[in-house]
């Protein structure tokens, strides 16, 4: 019973015709209408419906993956990885940088990677205050030291969150992300000089 059905199903799927797994039957046979009904039902239910549902799920999954990849690619082209600011922010005529200049100089991902490696390899006794702060944040898996939604070229003169003891050109205290960006820039010039 069940073995016969599974054999017919296996051979029928392989040949895309259920009658390939069955013994031939004559038109005059009294079982022919039932045979014909079984073959038609197999073709409609298994081959047309079930296989198309499976193929549809597969194609839809690939379409969804492609859509996610396109979204990631769009985000990579239009959003700074470090600060998260959009491309249009740098198209403002009051901003002194382009988006490409911003992501290649001010917020270059590789500069941050090099800075993290540099600070991680540095002896604890040789760390500056800013570097010690970054190490502590990294050990706690915090990214508060990243300049999220902030960039030097878009900062107002009245930037808040200043660090103690470090002053800018006009005597005002500088925010921590500016100190970190200066450390990254100094490290970059040291690496390029050597």
């Amino acid at each position: 019973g069940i073995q016969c059905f599974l054999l017919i199903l296996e051979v029928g799927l392989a040949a895309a015709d259920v009658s390939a797994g069955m013994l031939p039957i004559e038109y005059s046979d009294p079982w022919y209408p039932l045979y014909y009904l079984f073959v038609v039902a197999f073709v409609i239910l298994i081959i047309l419906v079930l296989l198309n549902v499976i193929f549809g799920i597969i194609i839809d999954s690939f379409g969804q993956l492609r859509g996610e990849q396109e979204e990631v690619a769009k985000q990579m082209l239009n959003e700074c990885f470090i600060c998260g600011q959009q491309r249009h922010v740098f198209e403002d005529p009051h901003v002194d940088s382009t988006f490409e200049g911003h992501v290649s100089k001010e917020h270059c991902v590789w500069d941050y990677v090099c800075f993290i490696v540099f600070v991680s390899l540095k002896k604890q006794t040789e760390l500056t205050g800013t570097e010690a702060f970054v190490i502590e944040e990294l050990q706690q898996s915090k990214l508060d030291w990243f300049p999220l939604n902030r960039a030097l070229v878009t900062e107002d003169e009245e930037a808040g969150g200043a660090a103690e003891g470090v002053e800018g050109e006009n005597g005002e205290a500088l925010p921590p992300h500016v100190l970190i960006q200066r450390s990254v820039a100094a490290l970059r010039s040291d690496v390029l000089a050597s």
Side-chain angles (χ1 to χ4, degrees):
I2 192 80
Q3 286 179 329
C4 181
F5 178 77
L6 291 176
L7 176 67
I8 290 170
L9 189 64
E10 176 186 347
V11 173
L13 281 176
D17 180 15
V18 73
S19 61
M22 302 171 83
L23 294 174
I25 192 166
E26 299 290 328
Y27 291 114
S28 58
D29 192 314
W31 291 98
Y32 184 78
L34 188 58
Y35 167 82
Y36 180 78
L37 185 64
F38 182 76
V39 170
V40 169
F42 178 86
V43 169
I44 291 173
L45 290 177
I46 303 297
I47 295 177
L48 292 179
V49 176
L50 188 62
L51 291 179
N52 283 331
V53 166
I54 292 170
F55 293 147
I57 290 171
I58 292 170
I59 290 169
D60 187 49
S61 296
F62 280 118
Q64 184 178 5
L65 287 173
R66 184 176 55 246
E68 290 172 4
Q69 286 177 335
E70 288 172 357
E71 184 64 32
V72 168
K74 180 181 172 186
Q75 185 176 11
M76 288 174 66
L77 288 174
N78 295 311
E79 186 176 304
C80 175
F81 184 79
I82 301 297
C83 69
Q85 289 194 351
Q86 299 291 324
R87 176 181 289 272
H88 67 83
V89 171
F90 299 95
E91 293 172 357
D92 186 339
H94 298 96
V95 175
D96 293 335
S97 178
T98 63
F99 179 76
E100 286 76 15
H102 169 74
V103 296
S104 67
K105 290 192 175 74
E106 186 178 349
H107 285 166
C108 178
V109 174
W110 292 112
D111 287 348
Y112 279 80
V113 170
C114 289
F115 179 70
I116 291 170
V117 171
F118 172 75
V119 171
S120 299
L121 296 176
K122 203 169 182 184
K123 291 180 182 176
Q124 191 76 18
T125 56
E126 296 176 355
L127 294 174
T128 65
T130 304
E131 293 168 345
F133 171 73
V134 170
I135 285 290
E136 185 179 314
E137 293 289 302
L138 288 172
Q139 289 171 345
Q140 296 175 9
S141 298
K142 290 183 180 179
L143 294 177
D144 295 340
W145 63 278
F146 266 71
L148 300 176
N149 293 320
R150 300 174 85 171
L152 290 176
V153 294
T154 60
E155 285 285 306
D156 293 332
E157 290 179 3
E158 304 171 28
E164 293 180 16
V166 181
E167 296 181 352
E169 296 171 3
N170 299 330
E172 77 276 2
L174 295 174
H177 75 279
V178 173
L179 297 174
I180 292 168
Q181 286 177 346
R182 285 185 178 174
S183 296
V184 168
L187 176 63
R188 181 182 209 184
S189 3
D190 289 347
V191 168
L192 292 176
S194 60

